Amino acid sequence: MNRLTIKDIAAHFNVSISTVSKALNDSYEISKSTKLKIQEYAKEHNYKPNFNALSLKKRQTKTIGVIIPNMLNYFFAQVFKGVEKEANKSGYKVITCISNESFDKEVETIEMLSNGSIDGFLLSIAEQTEEQNNFVHLTKTLEQGLPIVMFDRVAKDVDCDKVITNDFEGAINAVDHLAKTGCKHIAFISTQSHLKSGKERELGYLEGLKKRNMEINPNLVIHIFEEDYKQYERILLPYFEENHIDSVITTDESSAIAAMKIAQRKGHTVPDDFSVISFSNGIIARHSSPKLTTVSQHGEIMGETAAKMLIDKIENKNTSEASVTKVIQTDLVERNSTRI
Amino acid sequence: MNRLTIKDIAAHFNVSISTVSKALNDSYEISKSTKLKIQEYAKEHNYKPNFNALSLKKRQTKTIGVIIPNMLNYFFAQVFKGVEKEANKSGYKVITCISNESFDKEVETIEMLSNGSIDGFLLSIAEQTEEQNNFVHLTKTLEQGLPIVMFDRVAKDVDCDKVITNDFEGAINAVDHLAKTGCKHIAFISTQSHLKSGKERELGYLEGLKKRNMEINPNLVIHIFEEDYKQYERILLPYFEENHIDSVITTDESSAIAAMKIAQRKGHTVPDDFSVISFSNGIIARHSSPKLTTVSQHGEIMGETAAKMLIDKIENKNTSEASVTKVIQTDLVERNSTRI
DNA sequence: ATGAAAGCGCTAACAT
DNA sequence: ATGTTAGCGCTTTCAT
C-alpha cells in the first residue's frame, strides 16, 4: 500500500526518472506526447510528490510555525484564523503550538521546530517570557537564519518584523468617547500586570484624560490579578464604595462584566448613569446585558498581516532590509454599555 | 549560516559520516571515547538532525494533521488544547487546519496533507460535509494507509477510530435535573439542524421526558438557524407567548441567553420560576447573570483521547484490529440558572 | 571500532 | 527529447 513515486511511473513507461520528473514539472525539454501521458497517468493514480523529499531537496518546507500563548483566548483564536487563511492562500501549512504562557514551553517549542521543520516563526510571547525579559531563544533562532514575525505581544529589543495593536490610541479613544458622552469620573481596571499592552492602555487612558484636562485620580487606576477572576466583584467592590466612579475602561471583558454588575447593584443603570468600555471585543461582549461597547483589536487582520509579512520574508531571503513593525488600529464598537 | 550536518562533524573529526551517525545514536559499535567527543561537539554546536532527511528515511514524520471546523468555537478550542498537549507529550507536532464548515476546504486540506507531511489525521467533519453525507475523501485516505481518528462530529459509515460525546444521555440528564427541581413544561431549542449531535440531544430530550412520563409537546421543540443569532430573541418570542414554558434546554449558549432574557422580560425570575440548561459549557455560561447551568462536554479530554488513539494507531501500524469508538460522558455543571 | 555504499524520493546540471 | 549522475541529510547493512 506504498505511495506511488516517480520511480514507479518511470518503470511503468520504461523511461528514466528524470524524464518523469521533468514531465511532471512541465519542462520544455520533454515532448508533448510523453508529458501528456505521464501527467495523465500521474493524475489518474493520484500521484503526489513526496513532501519530505521535496523539502530536503529544496531546503524549504512551505510550512510556518505559530506559537500562541493561549488558544482559549478569543482574540488569539481570531489571530490564528487569520494566519491559517493567509498561509493556506500562499500554499503554506501551519504547525501550531500553545505556550500556555510558559517560558519553558516556548523555548522547547522553538527548539523542537528549529530542525528544518519550518521556514519561519509567528510568535506572540508568553506572559512569563515577557516577565522574565529573556529573549535569547529568539535572537539565537534569528541568527540561525530562521525569520520570526512577532504579533501582539512583542519583544521590543528583538530585531525582527512585528505586528502590534495601537493600544495607546485605543485607550485614548475610549476616554474620548466616555468624556464626550458626559462621563466625568472614569476608572481604569487592568488585569494585565506583566503585559506591555496593559501598560500601553494605561498610558493611553492617562493621556486621554490629560488631553481633555480631566482630573487624574490615582485611586481610579485599579490593578487586579487575572487568576482571581472568580472574585472580581468582591475585589472591585471597595473601589466603588470609596470613590465616585461614573464609568470604567477595562482591559478585559470579565472585569467589565464584574464592574457592570457592581454598578447595577449599587443602583446605577447602564448606560444611563454608568458607562463601560472594554478592551477585547470577544464573545462575552455580545452576550451581556446590556451588550458591551468595546475596543476591537481586529485579531483576524493581525493574523493575516503577520502571516503575509513572514511569508514575504521567507520568499525574499536575499533582500535583508531593516525590520518593520506594522500597527493595527483599533475600532470602537459601540453597543449598549455607553450612551450615544 | 547553514545548519550543522553530520558531514560537517565527520570532517571536523576526520571520521566517516556513519561513525558520526552511530555515535550520535549511541551505538554499541562505537568506542566510548569517540562517542563522547562527538556527542559533546554536537551539543556544543547545537546540532539537530535534519527533520526532512529523517522523515524521508524513516517514512514517518512525527506530526499529525488536525482539521477543525471552527476555532472560534470554544469547545473546539478546548479540544485543540488537549490535542496539542497530548501530541507534544509523545513528541508529535501538529499541523492545524480550519475547514470553516466547508466541504471543499476539508477535501483540499486532506489533499494537501496526504503527501507524506503527516502520519495521520484528527478530524471533526465540517457541517457541510455532514449535510452532503459525502465521505469518499475520508475512505480514500484510509485506503492509502493514513489513519484517521474522528472526534465529536463523526461519520458513522466511515470505518475508523472515533471519540464522541454522549449527547443522548447528556440530554436525558438535563431533563432529569429539571424534572427533579420541579419543572413541568420543558422546551428544547436546537440550532444544530445538520449536525448529528443536535439530533442526539433532541432524542435524549424526548427519551428523558418519556422516562419520567412527562407530556411530550411537539410545540416545545424549537429549531432555529444559527445564522440568525442576532435575532434569537425575536424568533423565540412567539413560542414563549403561545406556550406554557417553565424551563428550557438549549443546544448552545447563545440561545440559552436569549431564552433567559425573554423569560425575564415576561416577568419570570431565573431560576425561581424559570430554569435553563445549556449544552456547551463555554465562556458565556460563566458570565451571564445568572450564570448558566450547562452540560459540559469536556473538550480538552476529548482532544487528549483522540490524539492518544491516533498516535497509538500510528505506532502500531502492524496490529490491524477493528475500529473502536470511545464515548466521553457529559457532566452537568450546576450554576445559577437552575434550582437546587 | 570504523568505514563504504546503498537508498529514502526528488531535482537539476550535465551528458547523449 | 531523453538519460545519467550527483546530491539534499540521514540510517543501516555489510565490509574491513
Side-chain angles (χ1 to χ4, degrees):
Chain A
M1 196 54 56
N2 270 332
R3 307 196 57 70
L4 192 67
T5 71
I6 49 172
K7 204 167 158 186
D8 301 328
I9 304 183
H12 178 260
F13 286 112
N14 229 312
V15 295
S16 76
I17 58 164
S18 65
T19 301
V20 175
S21 172
K22 289 170 183 166
L24 291 173
N25 289 302
D26 218 22
S27 159
Y28 67 95
E29 295 181 79
I30 305 297
S31 74
K32 277 241 158 71
S33 59
T34 55
K35 275 206 281 198
L36 209 74
K37 73 180 181 193
I38 288 180
Q39 288 171 0
E40 254 177 22
Y41 183 85
K43 184 152 285 175
E44 259 171 42
H45 292 73
N46 196 27
Y47 167 78
K48 296 218 197 66
N50 180 288
F51 166 76
N52 292 114
L54 230 59
S55 300
L56 182 58
K57 184 75 194 171
K58 300 213 168 159
R59 289 135 173 288
Q60 55 146 332
T61 62
K62 282 274 194 177
T63 112
I64 62 183
V66 184
I67 303 181
I68 284 183
N70 172 12
M71 191 65 90
L72 300 182
N73 178 312
Y74 193 77
F75 171 70
F76 283 127
Q78 284 181 99
V79 173
F80 177 73
K81 186 178 178 188
V83 168
E84 203 265 351
K85 190 165 97 187
E86 186 63 31
N88 274 206
K89 204 193 287 176
S90 313
Y92 279 72
K93 302 176 257 315
V94 4
I95 293 183
T96 312
C97 296
I98 303 176
S99 68
N100 278 319
E101 308 288 8
S102 148
F103 174 79
D104 289 344
K105 178 82 192 293
E106 190 177 294
V107 173
E108 278 164 30
T109 302
I110 290 181
E111 282 290 314
M112 172 173 83
L113 295 180
S114 298
N115 61 356
S117 297
I118 58 166
D119 298 339
F121 279 108
L122 244 36
L123 164 70
S124 194
I125 61 183
E127 186 155 4
Q128 233 181 70
T129 306
E130 186 144 13
E131 211 171 326
Q132 297 184 203
N133 219 44
N134 181 352
F135 306 119
V136 291
H137 54 305
L138 304 180
T139 51
K140 255 195 338 202
T141 85
L142 283 166
E143 276 165 22
Q144 276 178 47
L146 256 189
I148 299 179
V149 173
M150 297 196 183
F151 61 90
D152 193 54
R153 280 142 59 158
V154 139
K156 213 178 79 188
D157 296 337
V158 178
D159 179 35
C160 66
D161 288 349
K162 291 159 195 167
V163 191
I164 54 176
T165 293
N166 198 337
D167 286 294
F168 185 70
E169 254 194 53
I172 294 182
N173 294 340
V175 171
D176 250 35
H177 186 75
L178 292 176
K180 259 190 280 183
T181 55
C183 300
K184 308 271 188 238
H185 308 284
I186 309 174
F188 179 81
I189 302 176
S190 174
T191 48
Q192 310 196 316
S193 28
H194 300 300
L195 296 179
K196 229 193 48 191
S197 61
K199 282 169 207 139
E200 285 292 316
R201 292 169 189 177
E202 185 172 333
L203 291 174
Y205 158 77
L206 295 171
E207 179 64 20
L209 292 179
K210 204 177 296 172
K211 269 189 166 176
R212 292 211 156 238
N213 288 316
M214 292 170 76
E215 155 216 38
I216 292 182
N217 178 350
N219 293 328
L220 297 192
V221 177
I222 306 170
H223 293 271
I224 56 184
F225 289 110
E226 206 170 353
E227 300 78 65
D228 296 331
Y229 74 96
K230 289 195 173 173
Q231 325 179 36
Y232 278 177
E233 293 179 50
R234 203 170 52 66
I235 295 171
L236 290 176
L237 190 58
Y239 292 94
F240 280 73
E241 312 248 275
E242 293 157 20
N243 300 283
H244 180 36
I245 299 176
D246 65 8
S247 54
V248 77
I249 296 172
T250 71
T251 59
D252 72 299
E253 295 173 305
S254 292
S255 40
I257 298 285
M260 196 153 71
K261 282 191 191 154
I262 293 176
Q264 287 168 337
R265 223 181 300 135
K266 291 191 42 130
H268 290 120
T269 307
V270 180
D272 297 351
D273 60 0
F274 194 95
S275 298
V276 1
I277 295 183
S278 166
F279 271 83
S280 284
N281 182 27
I283 340 176
I284 299 174
R286 283 160 239 182
H287 286 88
S288 61
S289 40
K291 297 186 174 70
L292 289 176
T293 293
T294 57
V295 179
S296 168
Q297 299 160 83
H298 304 298
E300 195 168 336
I301 293 175
M302 175 171 278
E304 286 172 28
T305 308
K308 200 176 306 184
M309 287 171 87
L310 179 60
I311 292 173
D312 280 357
K313 196 89 178 183
I314 290 171
E315 302 193 336
N316 306 308
K317 270 267 168 52
N318 35 344
T319 69
S320 56
E321 318 144 16
S323 300
V324 329
T325 107
K326 297 203 180 173
V327 178
I328 311 270
Q329 296 304 323
T330 61
D331 270 340
L332 193 74
V333 178
E334 293 186 48
R335 281 188 276 251
N336 310 323
S337 66
T338 50
R339 296 185 285 276
I340 325 184
Chain B
M1 195 55 53
N2 269 331
R3 307 197 55 70
L4 191 68
T5 70
I6 50 172
K7 206 168 160 185
D8 301 327
I9 303 183
H12 178 260
F13 286 112
N14 231 308
V15 296
S16 75
I17 58 163
S18 61
T19 300
V20 175
S21 173
K22 286 170 184 167
L24 291 173
N25 289 302
D26 218 22
S27 161
Y28 67 96
E29 296 181 77
I30 307 296
S31 74
K32 276 237 158 74
S33 60
T34 54
K35 274 205 282 198
L36 209 73
K37 72 179 181 192
I38 287 180
Q39 287 170 2
E40 255 177 21
Y41 183 86
K43 185 154 287 176
E44 259 172 42
H45 292 73
N46 195 25
Y47 167 78
K48 297 217 196 68
N50 179 288
F51 166 77
N52 292 114
L54 230 58
S55 299
L56 183 57
K57 185 73 195 176
K58 299 214 169 159
R59 289 137 173 286
Q60 54 146 330
T61 61
K62 282 272 195 179
T63 112
I64 61 181
V66 183
I67 303 180
I68 283 183
N70 172 12
M71 191 65 90
L72 300 182
N73 178 313
Y74 194 76
F75 172 70
F76 283 127
Q78 286 181 99
V79 173
F80 177 73
K81 186 178 177 188
V83 167
E84 203 264 353
K85 189 164 99 187
E86 185 63 31
N88 274 207
K89 203 191 291 175
S90 313
Y92 278 73
K93 301 176 259 315
V94 3
I95 293 183
T96 312
C97 296
I98 302 176
S99 69
N100 279 319
E101 308 289 7
S102 147
F103 174 79
D104 289 344
K105 179 81 192 296
E106 189 176 295
V107 172
E108 278 164 29
T109 302
I110 290 181
E111 283 289 314
M112 173 173 83
L113 295 181
S114 297
N115 61 355
S117 298
I118 59 166
D119 298 338
F121 279 108
L122 243 37
L123 163 72
S124 193
I125 61 182
E127 185 156 3
Q128 233 181 70
T129 306
E130 186 144 13
E131 209 171 329
Q132 296 182 204
N133 218 44
N134 180 351
F135 306 118
V136 291
H137 54 306
L138 304 180
T139 51
K140 255 197 331 203
T141 84
L142 283 167
E143 277 166 21
Q144 276 178 47
L146 257 189
I148 298 178
V149 173
M150 297 195 182
F151 60 90
D152 192 55
R153 279 143 58 161
V154 139
K156 215 178 77 188
D157 296 337
V158 178
D159 179 36
C160 65
D161 288 350
K162 291 161 196 169
V163 191
I164 54 175
T165 294
N166 198 337
D167 286 294
F168 184 70
E169 253 193 52
I172 294 182
N173 293 340
V175 171
D176 249 35
H177 186 76
L178 291 176
K180 260 190 277 182
T181 55
C183 300
K184 308 269 187 239
H185 307 283
I186 309 174
F188 179 82
I189 302 178
S190 173
T191 48
Q192 309 195 318
S193 28
H194 299 302
L195 296 178
K196 228 192 51 188
S197 60
K199 282 168 208 139
E200 285 293 315
R201 292 169 189 178
E202 184 170 334
L203 291 174
Y205 159 77
L206 296 172
E207 179 64 20
L209 292 178
K210 202 177 299 172
K211 269 188 168 179
R212 293 212 154 238
N213 288 316
M214 291 170 76
E215 154 217 38
I216 292 182
N217 179 351
N219 293 329
L220 297 192
V221 177
I222 306 170
H223 292 268
I224 56 185
F225 289 110
E226 206 169 352
E227 300 79 62
D228 296 331
Y229 74 98
K230 289 193 175 178
Q231 325 179 36
Y232 279 177
E233 293 178 51
R234 203 170 52 66
I235 295 171
L236 290 176
L237 190 58
Y239 292 94
F240 281 73
E241 311 247 278
E242 293 159 19
N243 301 283
H244 179 36
I245 299 176
D246 65 8
S247 54
V248 78
I249 296 171
T250 71
T251 59
D252 73 297
E253 295 174 304
S254 292
S255 41
I257 298 285
M260 195 153 71
K261 283 193 192 155
I262 294 175
Q264 286 167 335
R265 222 183 300 135
K266 291 192 46 139
H268 289 119
T269 308
V270 180
D272 297 353
D273 60 359
F274 194 95
S275 299
V276 2
I277 296 181
S278 166
F279 272 84
S280 283
N281 181 27
I283 340 177
I284 299 174
R286 283 159 239 184
H287 286 88
S288 62
S289 42
K291 299 187 174 69
L292 290 175
T293 293
T294 57
V295 179
S296 169
Q297 299 159 84
H298 305 297
E300 197 168 335
I301 293 175
M302 175 172 278
E304 287 172 28
T305 308
K308 199 176 309 185
M309 287 172 87
L310 179 59
I311 291 172
D312 280 357
K313 195 91 179 182
I314 289 170
E315 302 193 335
N316 305 309
K317 269 267 167 49
N318 35 345
T319 69
S320 55
E321 319 145 16
S323 300
V324 332
T325 108
K326 296 203 182 177
V327 178
I328 311 271
Q329 295 304 322
T330 61
D331 270 340
L332 193 74
V333 177
E334 292 186 50
R335 280 188 277 251
N336 310 323
S337 66
T338 50
R339 295 185 285 276
I340 325 183

